[in-house]
Amino acid sequence: MKWTDIQDIAIALTDTHPDVDPQYVRFTDLHQWVMALDGFDDSPDRAGEKVLEAIQMAWIDEAR
């Protein structure tokens, strides 16, 4: 996975952190959690605030 795989990342985060409300996750934690996902292989520097916000929004939708 890469940072651009927003939906795949959101699904993986839902599976990995089922008891977390993504609405309250800090971007610093989100960044670390994405980097730790199985199959994630991208540069940590490629994730800016807009990317992290898009991941968080997709995760919120996925968690519903």
Side-chain angles (χ1 to χ4, degrees), residues 19-46:
D19 298 330
V20 172
D21 185 342
Q23 181 176 334
Y24 300 107
V25 174
R26 296 181 308 201
F27 282 171
T28 53
D29 292 335
L30 180 58
H31 188 276
Q32 290 176 345
W33 292 353
V34 172
M35 294 291 300
L37 289 173
D38 286 340
F40 186 83
D41 183 29
D42 205 349
S43 171
D45 300 335
R46 297 193 62 194

Side-chain angles (χ1 to χ4, degrees), residues 1-18 22 25 27 29-43 46-48 50-63:
M1 275 184 286
K2 304 287 184 195
W3 288 110
T4 54
D5 299 322
I6 304 293
Q7 194 61 40
D8 293 335
I9 291 171
I11 292 167
L13 287 169
T14 301
D15 294 342
T16 307
H17 303 281
V25 174
F27 282 171
D29 292 335
L30 180 58
H31 188 276
Q32 290 176 345
W33 292 353
V34 172
M35 294 291 300
L37 289 173
D38 286 340
F40 186 83
D41 183 29
D42 205 349
S43 171
R46 297 193 62 194
K50 288 186 180 194
V51 171
L52 293 170
E53 184 177 1
I55 292 169
Q56 186 180 37
M57 292 292 107
W59 186 10
I60 289 168
D61 288 342
E62 193 65 35

